[in-house]
Amino acid sequence: MSCWRKSSFSSGQVSAECVEVATPSPGLILIRESDDPAAVITTDLVPWAAFVRGLKRGDFDHLSGSA
């Protein structure tokens, strides 16, 4: 069984609007939305690392309305 983790920004939130990540085995990344836990996206470290770099760089800020 995977241990799902979510952002510390979501801690204590009543809302189920967050993304959760699990690593059930080395190199495997699972991603899901809290409000639809049955829908899981599976990827590996290379595309996940590229996605995280893009997040940190601000490549997706325009999608959140915070840019």
Side-chain angles (χ1 to χ4, degrees):
M1 180 161 197
S2 299
C3 178
W4 290 96
R5 303 173 80 181
K6 60 183 173 180
S7 169
S8 60
F9 290 105
S10 298
S11 295
Q13 297 287 331
V14 175
S15 173
E17 298 175 359
C18 63
V19 174
E20 299 173 316
V21 179
T23 54
S25 63
L28 182 63
I29 309 291
L30 305 178
I31 308 161
R32 72 179 184 186
E33 288 192 49
S34 296
D35 60 347
D36 188 8
V40 177
I41 297 170
T42 303
T43 190
D44 61 37
L45 289 176
V46 174
W48 174 252
F51 179 70
V52 170
R53 280 193 306 274
L55 286 173
K56 289 179 178 181
R57 203 172 38 230
D59 293 354
F60 305 104
D61 288 354
H62 67 286
L63 299 173
S64 68
S66 63

